[in-house]
Amino acid sequence: MPGLLRGIARTAVIAGTATTVSNRVSRRQAGRWAQQDAAAQQQQASAQAPAAAPPAPAAEDTTSKLDQLKQLGDLRDQGVLTEEEFAEQKRRILG
């Protein structure tokens, strides 16, 4: 009987530990996704803001567009933006 109780206790400890770890991972992932969503929204807002601004000189405009495209590419590679969202933002930047 003591061997059976020990086995049950061990199973309970393992199951409790697994549940705790799983919950912690889920909370971390949710936090990361929230940060990525916030970054994507900021990126979209910043990508739309230059379109509303008056045109800048050609050299600065080209550099700005390249920087924005690089940022969009990074967001796409990180999985924050889908291919369709990336294409739409790219179209807006290149106008």
Side-chain angles (χ1 to χ4, degrees), residues 42-56:
Q42 288 176 348
Q43 181 63 29
Q44 287 176 351
S46 68
Q48 292 172 356

Side-chain angles (χ1 to χ4, degrees), residues 26-42:
S26 294
R27 281 193 302 272
R28 283 184 187 168
Q29 285 177 340
R32 288 180 185 158
W33 291 339
Q35 288 176 349
Q36 288 177 350
D37 288 343
Q41 289 174 355
Q42 288 176 348

Side-chain angles (χ1 to χ4, degrees), residues 60-80:
E60 291 178 6
D61 191 40
T62 303
T63 303
S64 174
K65 286 181 181 182
L66 287 174
D67 290 340
Q68 289 177 352
L69 289 172
K70 286 178 185 178
Q71 290 174 348
L72 283 175
D74 291 340
L75 289 172
R76 183 196 55 202
D77 295 341
Q78 294 171 0
V80 175

